[in-house]
Each structure stands twice: as C-alpha cells, then as structure tokens.
Amino acid sequence: MASSKGKDSAITQKALNFQIRESYKAARTNIDYSIIKKGCKKIAFTSSAKGEGKTITAMNIALALAQQVETKVLVVECDLRRPHVHSALDIAPTPGITNYLNEECTREDIIQQTKIPNLYAVCYGAIPPNPSELLSSDAMQDFIKSVEKDYNYIIFDTPPVGVVIDAIPIIKASDGVVVVIRNNSTTYPQLKITIDTLNRAGSKILGVVVNRVKPESRNKKKYYSGDYYYYGY
Ligand SMILES: Nc1ncnc2c1ncn2[C@@H]1O[C@H](COP(=O)(O)OP(=O)(O)O)[C@@H](O)[C@H]1O
Ligand SMILES: [Mg+2]
C-alpha cells in the first residue's frame, strides 16, 4: 500500500496497486482537460489542513503526467513549513528553492532529476523563518517564469490554505488548483473555508481529490489489502 515509510518512496513502491494507479491516471486526464492552453500547464495542490494527502496526491499525479510520451514534469516544493517532496520522491532536500531565493546557488543547482524519467523536482533547501515572504517574492515569480519554457507541467505542492496564507501567491501564478480532502476527516466547514479562500484569490479550482477512500467491501475482500485513492469531481 502507498506509504512513504520504508525503503521505497511513496510513489516508487512496486506494490502500488493497479486500481490506485488507474485512479491517478483518471485524475491526470481530468486535470489536463480542465486547463485549455498551449505550453506549460501549472497546477497547484492544496487542502484545508496538514496530513490530508496533498504531497502524496501531487507526487502521484506528477508521476502519471511524466509517464506520458515526451512529457517533462517539474515538481516544486512550496510547503516550506512541512516539506515532504524530497521524502516522497526519495531525493536530497538540499540545495533547494530557499537556497536559490537567498542567492546561494543557481537555478540549475536546485533542479534535480528524480529516479523517474522526465520527472524533475525542486526541494525546499532549508526551513526558512519567512516562508510566506519567500513564496510571494518577485524572485519566486521570476523563477516560475524562467522554468516554464522547459516543462510541459509544473506541479506546486503547497501548504494548506485553511491554515496559512503562504500558498496564495503560488496558486495565483498557477493555471488551476486541485483541492485534496481526506475521507472521514476533512469537515464541510473546513472545505467551505478552503473553497472561499481560493475563490477570493481568484483561482481556478480544477477539482477535488478524495484521499483515503476504502474500496467497496465486495472488491476489498477480493483484491485489496488497504486504502486506496479515489478521484472525483
Ligand atoms: N491514501 C493513503 N494511504 C496511506 N497513506 C497515506 C495516504 N495518503 C496519505 N498517506 C500518508 O499520510 C501522511 C500524510 O500525507 P501527506 O501527503 O504528506 O499529507 P499533506 O501533504 O497533506 O500534509 C504521509 O505519511 C502519507 O504517506
Ligand atoms: Mg505535504
């Protein structure tokens, strides 16, 4: 079952079951069709609270995108308070975006090739005292513009908008945002605050991913041993 524990990273586990992979592929297709434009598509992932599955969902959809022919995908860590892109992808956390924004290294230094072909990532670097300021800086916006031409998709893993405002400038710079909710955990009032916040920011909500949905008991007995992901608009 998908988990970031153990030797394999969350998305490279060989055991990731067929139905889970198919769910992410369906999500990929729906997200892709929701953004009509030529050139790089920029997609942010957020949620109402921590631990709802933003990172694991964003990384698996990034993987599904990168599995398409001649499709280059860049993941950018934007949760500078609880960064987990590096552990999900099993790569070094540094040098990363904070090092670049602090002018400690170049753009090329921070873009890492992951173990998955066509999937690249920018990790966090170091936990900064001023995440909100860094993410809303002109330097961050310039960074995004400067990498757009090299990738078909840029995926931003952002902090929960129900908790901190860090994500807003990144979401504004994106073509759309996917909201992750955790089954049996995220409440309707929480989700409403999240949706209202995103609407106030003028962002395009592409859809909602419901994470940690149990398979139907009939199927579960036959095929599954754990949770799986469900995608739905
Ligand atoms: N569907 C799932 N099945 C099993 N473990 C999951 C699932 N979704 C998330 N997790 C685990 O829960 C934890 C929190 O998920 P994460 O994606 O880091 O949340 P967030 O980014 O919203 O804080 C991680 O350890 C992750 O591996
Ligand atoms: Mg996360």
Side-chain angles (χ1 to χ4, degrees):
M1 190 44 240
S3 159
S4 56
K5 292 193 189 84
K7 230 180 161 193
D8 288 336
S9 71
I11 71 162
T12 56
Q13 275 198 21
K14 292 180 195 76
L16 204 59
N17 93 25
F18 176 77
Q19 179 126 13
I20 294 172
R21 276 186 275 123
E22 287 307 302
S23 299
Y24 286 128
K25 282 187 191 164
R28 168 189 77 191
T29 307
N30 285 325
I31 290 167
D32 196 32
Y33 285 171
S34 304
I35 305 172
I36 300 163
K37 70 178 278 203
K38 284 200 174 124
C40 179
K41 294 185 182 181
K42 293 167 287 176
I43 305 151
F45 284 76
T46 194
S47 76
S48 309
K50 67 178 183 188
E52 293 180 307
K54 292 176 291 298
T55 301
I56 204 162
T57 304
M59 296 310 106
N60 277 289
I61 290 176
L63 167 70
L65 287 165
Q67 283 169 338
Q68 299 172 116
V69 179
E70 287 182 17
T71 306
K72 277 179 81 180
V73 180
L74 178 67
V75 169
V76 181
E77 174 72 84
C78 296
D79 190 342
L80 303 180
R81 296 171 197 258
R82 295 171 52 87
H84 287 300
V85 163
H86 62 287
S87 45
L89 296 174
D90 197 15
I91 52 177
T94 186
I97 191 70
T98 57
N99 305 117
Y100 173 77
L101 296 174
N102 287 328
E103 298 179 1
E104 292 158 15
C105 59
T106 67
R107 199 185 69 172
E108 289 67 34
D109 292 338
I110 61 168
I111 299 178
Q112 298 188 55
Q113 160 84 69
T114 70
K115 295 178 175 113
I116 293 138
N118 289 328
L119 184 60
Y120 298 80
V122 173
C123 296
Y124 69 99
I127 301 273
N130 54 346
S132 193
E133 218 173 283
L134 286 180
L135 293 172
S136 63
S137 65
D138 290 344
M140 184 66 190
Q141 299 294 328
D142 290 346
F143 171 77
I144 296 169
K145 284 196 196 97
S146 75
V147 288
E148 271 181 40
K149 61 179 186 329
D150 298 329
Y151 297 90
N152 300 93
Y153 296 90
I154 302 178
I155 302 294
F156 301 104
D157 185 19
T158 77
V161 289
V163 182
V164 287
I165 56 152
D166 301 11
I168 298 300
I170 300 301
I171 291 170
K172 280 187 172 173
S174 307
D175 297 304
V177 56
V178 175
V179 178
V180 176
I181 66 175
R182 180 170 173 169
N183 192 36
N184 288 328
S185 172
T186 314
T187 64
Y188 281 104
Q190 276 181 314
L191 182 61
K192 186 175 184 316
I193 291 170
T194 298
I195 303 274
D196 288 348
T197 305
L198 294 172
N199 283 334
R200 268 201 309 278
S203 58
K204 182 178 179 190
I205 300 173
L206 300 172
V208 171
V209 171
V210 185
N211 186 30
R212 291 189 185 252
V213 175
K214 296 272 181 195
E216 283 171 20
S217 52
R218 182 172 59 90
N219 290 338
K220 190 180 176 185
K221 275 188 204 129
K222 212 168 172 187
Y223 302 112
Y224 306 108
S225 58
D227 306 35
Y228 83 122
Y229 306 81
Y230 170 80
Y231 181 81
Y233 278 93

